Amino acid sequence: MAETTTAKIFDYPRNAWYVAAWDHEVTRTPLARTIAGRPLALFRTEDGAPVALADACWHRLAPLSMGKVIGDELQCPYHGIRYDRTGRCTAMPAQETINPSAMVPSFPIVDRYRYVWVWVGDAALADPSTIPDMHQMTSPEWTGDGELIHAECNYQLVVDNLMDLTHEEFVHTSSIGQDALSESEFVTSHTDTTVTVERWMIDIEAPPFWLKNMRDKFPGFSGRVDRWQIIHFEAPSTICLDVGVAATGTGAPEGDRSAGVNGYVMNTITPETDRTSHYFWSFQRNYRLDSQFITTQLRNGVHGVFSEDEMMLQAQQAAIDANPDYEFYSLNIDAGGMWVRRLLERMLEAEGRMAVPAAVGS
Ligand code: FES
Ligand SMILES: [Fe+2]
């Protein structure tokens, strides 16, 4: 691929489902969170339904997230106006009539895959059937757990990080990095809403993280492995990594993974501002489902790996901001990430917003 320049601070679509929180974070105590530039107050009604209201009172803009949930209503912390789940005012202090214009915006919100998804764009377009597929989060065939990282960078930098995993060789040397990553070929494909990058490493040493997982499933395992990384991107910013290793020569590339271990790293990145993101991840596995010990060990292990990414991404964003006149260039390894940008540009164009020009030949 020829060298190309591309946008560094990439705008985010608004007509999209974004994860606002883990399901357990949204409770009867309001939660303040900014999603795609929109400050929200999130809470649950008495029957457990999630609610997202704009986090500014109609009266004097006090943050509703500092208020109190009473029944199914949110009470402003300043002068006590109450709002129902649609954002309509139901009670005003010291007056009997309610000003009919008293409303705050409410936003479509759905519980799915252990996450709470919100739509801050045009509500008429919010169709829950378009929520990205993350079924390994709740399928009985998988188990696992994860975390939320507050990433100090534009969401696109996190997406780039996950669309090209050759960085493991340099950033994650003690766990999953190995030379075979950048030495192996990969295949990129796409549809209108998805991008897939598939890479196989045949007959290699298992790196420490995967050797440990093999021994969790096959005690005493030793020998060489076939390793796979299949990156599934779904617009605008969900990336599920199908990753694993199997004893070499047992047919994993042809589809028989029974002599191996398989994980799905479920990542979804929500823009907060131009330069900050909510990065939700979970490591799901389909073996030893009963072992909370392994679940906790894996979560802690991946936490360590992703802390290495977090430091790199924060440093990268700082360097971008400190060098505004410098460009980005792209290499062969960025093929998946470049497709992602094309899909996102189309989404931005469909919203009538100019995408920052990308892929300008140099
Ligand atoms: S600012 Fe909310 S009631 Fe006054
Ligand atoms: Fe990484």
Side-chain angles (χ1 to χ4, degrees), residues 161 167 172 309:
N161 171 281
H167 77 268
H172 309 306
D309 290 302

Side-chain angles (χ1 to χ4, degrees), residues 56-64 75-83 93:
C57 179
W58 169 83
H59 175 221
R60 289 289 194 265
L61 307 190
L64 296 177
Q75 183 181 55
C76 175
Y78 201 2
H79 314 100
I81 285 184
R82 289 197 202 177
Y83 300 93

Side-chain angles (χ1 to χ4, degrees), residues 38-91:
R38 259 291 189 176
L40 302 179
L42 305 168
F43 67 97
R44 288 188 191 273
T45 58
E46 282 183 314
D47 62 3
V51 178
L53 300 182
D55 196 13
C57 179
W58 169 83
H59 175 221
R60 289 289 194 265
L61 307 190
L64 296 177
S65 58
M66 290 172 65
K68 213 192 299 179
V69 180
I70 300 170
D72 288 345
E73 296 175 354
L74 184 53
Q75 183 181 55
C76 175
Y78 201 2
H79 314 100
I81 285 184
R82 289 197 202 177
Y83 300 93
D84 68 14
R85 69 179 88 190
T86 69
R88 182 166 298 283
C89 172
T90 57

Side-chain angles (χ1 to χ4, degrees), residues 27-249:
T27 67
R28 300 280 293 160
T29 302
L31 172 71
R33 193 153 284 166
T34 296
I35 303 302
R38 259 291 189 176
L40 302 179
L42 305 168
F43 67 97
R44 288 188 191 273
T45 58
E46 282 183 314
D47 62 3
V51 178
L53 300 182
D55 196 13
C57 179
W58 169 83
H59 175 221
R60 289 289 194 265
L61 307 190
L64 296 177
S65 58
M66 290 172 65
K68 213 192 299 179
V69 180
I70 300 170
D72 288 345
E73 296 175 354
L74 184 53
Q75 183 181 55
C76 175
Y78 201 2
H79 314 100
I81 285 184
R82 289 197 202 177
Y83 300 93
D84 68 14
R85 69 179 88 190
T86 69
R88 182 166 298 283
C89 172
T90 57
M92 284 185 168
Q95 49 186 77
E96 282 174 13
T97 53
I98 294 175
N99 185 324
S101 72
M103 295 234 9
V104 293
S106 69
F107 300 89
I109 183 165
V110 174
D111 267 310
R112 191 171 297 174
Y113 307 132
R114 295 177 60 193
Y115 293 134
V116 176
W117 302 75
V118 297
W119 179 287
V120 299
D122 179 354
L125 301 176
D127 173 1
S129 73
T130 63
I131 289 176
D133 175 18
M134 302 188 86
H135 71 273
Q136 292 88 347
M137 294 292 288
T138 42
S139 157
E141 288 164 26
W142 296 83
T143 193
D145 206 0
E147 294 178 342
L148 163 59
I149 295 170
H150 189 254
E152 301 285 329
C153 64
N154 180 265
Y155 80 114
Q156 193 60 45
L157 299 186
V158 188
V159 174
D160 286 345
N161 171 281
L162 292 163
M163 291 307 295
D164 163 45
L165 299 175
T166 59
H167 77 268
E168 291 179 1
E169 189 175 328
F170 306 98
V171 178
H172 309 306
T173 42
S174 65
S175 55
I176 48 177
Q178 61 185 160
D179 299 352
L181 280 160
S182 56
E183 289 164 3
S184 56
E185 296 294 316
F186 62 92
V187 178
T188 305
S189 56
H190 69 94
T191 68
D192 285 347
T193 55
T194 67
V195 178
T196 305
V197 180
E198 178 161 0
R199 183 191 299 273
W200 283 85
M201 292 149 272
I202 304 299
D203 193 9
I204 59 167
E205 293 289 332
F209 176 87
W210 286 115
L211 183 60
K212 185 203 170 304
N213 289 330
M214 278 296 272
R215 288 178 174 164
D216 282 342
K217 184 172 174 188
F218 306 105
F221 172 82
S222 66
R224 293 169 75 83
V225 296
D226 297 340
R227 179 180 181 186
W228 67 90
Q229 289 177 328
I230 305 172
I231 304 168
H232 295 282
F233 166 87
E234 192 166 346
S237 49
T238 294
I239 299 166
C240 300
L241 306 177
D242 171 6
V243 289
V245 300
T248 192

